[in-house]
Amino acid sequence: MQTMRAPAAQGAATRVAARRVFRPVAATKVSTAVTTDVSKRTVPTALEEGEMPLNTYSNKAPFKAKVRSVETITGPKATGETCHIIIDTEGKIPFWEGQSYGVIPPGTKINSKGKEVPHGTRLYSIASSRYGDDFDGKTASLCVRRAVYVDPETGKEDPAKKGICSNFLCDAAPGTEITMTGPTGKVLLLPADTNAPLICVATGTGIAPFRSFWRRCFMENVPSYKFTGLFWLFMGVANSDAKLYDEELQALAKNYPSQFRLDYALSREQKNRKGGKMYIQDKVEEYSDEIFDLLDNGAHMYFCGLKGMMPGIQEMLERVAKSKGLNYEEWVEGLKHRNQWHVEVY
């Protein structure tokens, strides 16, 4: 099965893959990027009107916004630093839940032809609903993991190999100008059927689009959108300090016990049924019978995170499908044909 990703606003756009060693967080920081108040807010419903925005801004004609805040949302024992970044957009680069923005970091690079050119666009899934964290439609949020490279021989960071865009964003001070493109993406959109169960499988910052989902489903009063289905989130991270937006998720689980389910796969803290590390595919497999039944009855299944998550998930699903007498390839193709299968990995 081929993995899918959102199309870039320009051909040069690339998604940032956090495949390096990451700087540990120096100290615990209490997060204000999330809330335990999950009551429904009034929102400016004019953003419900019109067609889905797509590629409104490009590399040649980008949008200039400003960073409002940057906050570390991982703890001291996390395997890397992840930041929640709120961007003031004044509502001028609207988007739908599940889409991405492109960010062009400042500065230049030397290309393969020896020519100095601007840095390419990096794509980031948007981590807020179209109404933003303030529910006024004037901001958008990103969930960014800081990428640094540590030389395996010296044990020291090599600044020349750090992630240019992630470090720019994580180091940005309030008021910093940010150059953006997009929005882009049609893969991770919510279904029109507001009663369809949503099964969301994320690793790391792949949780970003699902935060936009749960805020729309549970925390906003949109007369034309009333979610009545089941929202089931599977989240894979290394340990408890690497959890993202957990306070918000726990509040949703408490307030919507019949509609919101949350399951973590903590690879360095939990064991799977065979006694090995608990990876995301192991946690999903624990509920495979229920998940297959939900998919047979119209559920939508979403995957977002590093592309390395998919082989293990695919192998597990194929094994389960075979045990049920199903042809895996035909089963997945059927889900794709009915638009119930959504994969965006990078």
Side-chain angles (χ1 to χ4, degrees):
M1 183 184 68
Q2 300 229 336
T3 55
M4 300 171 63
R5 56 172 292 170
Q10 294 288 328
T14 57
R15 222 173 240 290
V16 177
R19 296 173 181 269
R20 305 172 181 173
V21 180
F22 295 86
R23 177 184 295 116
V25 182
T28 302
K29 186 171 185 177
V30 178
S31 174
T32 56
V34 294
T35 179
T36 57
D37 178 5
V38 294
S39 59
K40 289 188 179 291
R41 274 60 158 212
T42 300
V43 293
T45 54
L47 290 178
E48 301 296 315
E49 301 170 2
E51 299 295 320
M52 179 184 69
L54 193 65
N55 297 331
T56 310
Y57 294 91
S58 66
N59 287 34
K60 293 182 178 179
F63 178 77
K64 301 289 187 178
K66 289 187 177 181
V67 172
R68 173 183 290 187
S69 64
V70 177
E71 182 178 354
T72 297
I73 56 172
T74 40
K77 296 181 181 179
T79 51
E81 180 185 5
T82 297
C83 295
H84 182 79
I85 300 164
I86 300 178
I87 301 167
D88 278 317
T89 64
E90 299 181 351
K92 295 179 180 178
I93 182 169
F95 62 93
W96 282 9
E97 294 73 20
Q99 290 191 300
S100 300
Y101 279 148
V103 176
I104 304 173
T108 59
K109 63 179 181 179
I110 304 300
N111 67 13
S112 59
K113 297 180 180 179
K115 183 180 179 181
E116 185 175 5
V117 296
H119 287 299
T121 303
R122 275 70 163 177
L123 293 177
Y124 293 94
S125 296
I126 303 169
S128 60
S129 78
R130 69 189 72 184
Y131 298 105
D133 283 11
D134 290 340
F135 304 99
D136 61 1
K138 303 297 185 183
T139 69
S141 299
L142 302 180
C143 180
V144 179
R145 185 168 179 173
R146 182 194 295 274
V148 300
Y149 177 81
V150 176
D151 188 297
E153 295 183 1
T154 66
K156 297 181 178 180
E157 291 183 14
D158 183 349
K161 296 181 180 180
K162 70 180 182 180
I164 294 170
C165 197
S166 68
N167 279 269
F168 161 68
L169 289 169
C170 290
D171 289 335
T176 299
E177 186 176 81
I178 176 173
T179 303
M180 303 169 63
T181 65
T184 187
K186 300 178 180 179
V187 175
L188 295 187
L189 298 178
L190 286 166
D193 181 2
T194 56
N195 192 50
L198 309 176
I199 304 168
C200 302
V201 182
T203 57
T205 57
I207 198 173
F210 304 141
R211 183 175 186 263
S212 78
F213 286 8
W214 77 62
R215 287 196 152 221
R216 180 164 178 81
C217 289
F218 298 109
M219 297 172 64
E220 297 168 352
N221 184 15
V222 181
S224 61
Y225 184 86
K226 299 293 184 183
F227 181 69
T228 55
L230 170 68
F231 193 115
W232 194 349
L233 175 65
F234 290 89
M235 176 60 176
V237 290
N239 56 34
S240 295
D241 269 19
K243 291 178 178 178
L244 305 174
Y245 309 111
D246 184 58
E247 300 96 325
E248 199 163 293
L249 293 170
Q250 297 299 337
L252 287 169
K254 179 180 179 180
N255 284 271
Y256 295 93
S258 64
Q259 271 191 283
F260 187 84
R261 293 176 66 174
L262 172 64
D263 283 282
Y264 280 109
L266 306 177
S267 61
R268 299 191 183 183
E269 294 180 4
Q270 300 172 332
K271 299 293 184 181
N272 62 24
R273 291 174 175 175
K274 297 180 179 179
K277 290 184 176 181
M278 176 70 79
Y279 292 112
I280 191 72
Q281 64 266 24
D282 302 314
K283 182 56 67 174
V284 174
E285 186 175 11
E286 290 183 4
Y287 301 94
S288 57
D289 287 345
E290 192 171 354
I291 288 170
F292 271 64
D293 287 343
L294 286 168
L295 290 168
D296 285 345
N297 288 280
H300 286 243
M301 195 163 191
Y302 297 82
F303 304 89
C304 191
L306 291 177
K307 63 182 179 181
M309 70 186 277
M310 289 308 295
I313 289 173
Q314 291 168 322
E315 291 167 9
M316 177 274 294
L317 290 174
E318 185 171 7
R319 183 172 64 253
V320 173
K322 185 177 180 180
S323 73
K324 295 178 177 294
L326 299 171
N327 180 293
Y328 175 70
E329 287 76 15
E330 292 179 358
W331 177 75
V332 170
E333 283 304 314
L335 293 173
K336 290 180 179 178
H337 179 72
R338 296 186 295 274
N339 198 33
Q340 292 174 251
W341 185 262
H342 312 264
V343 181
E344 185 172 285
V345 292
Y346 39 92

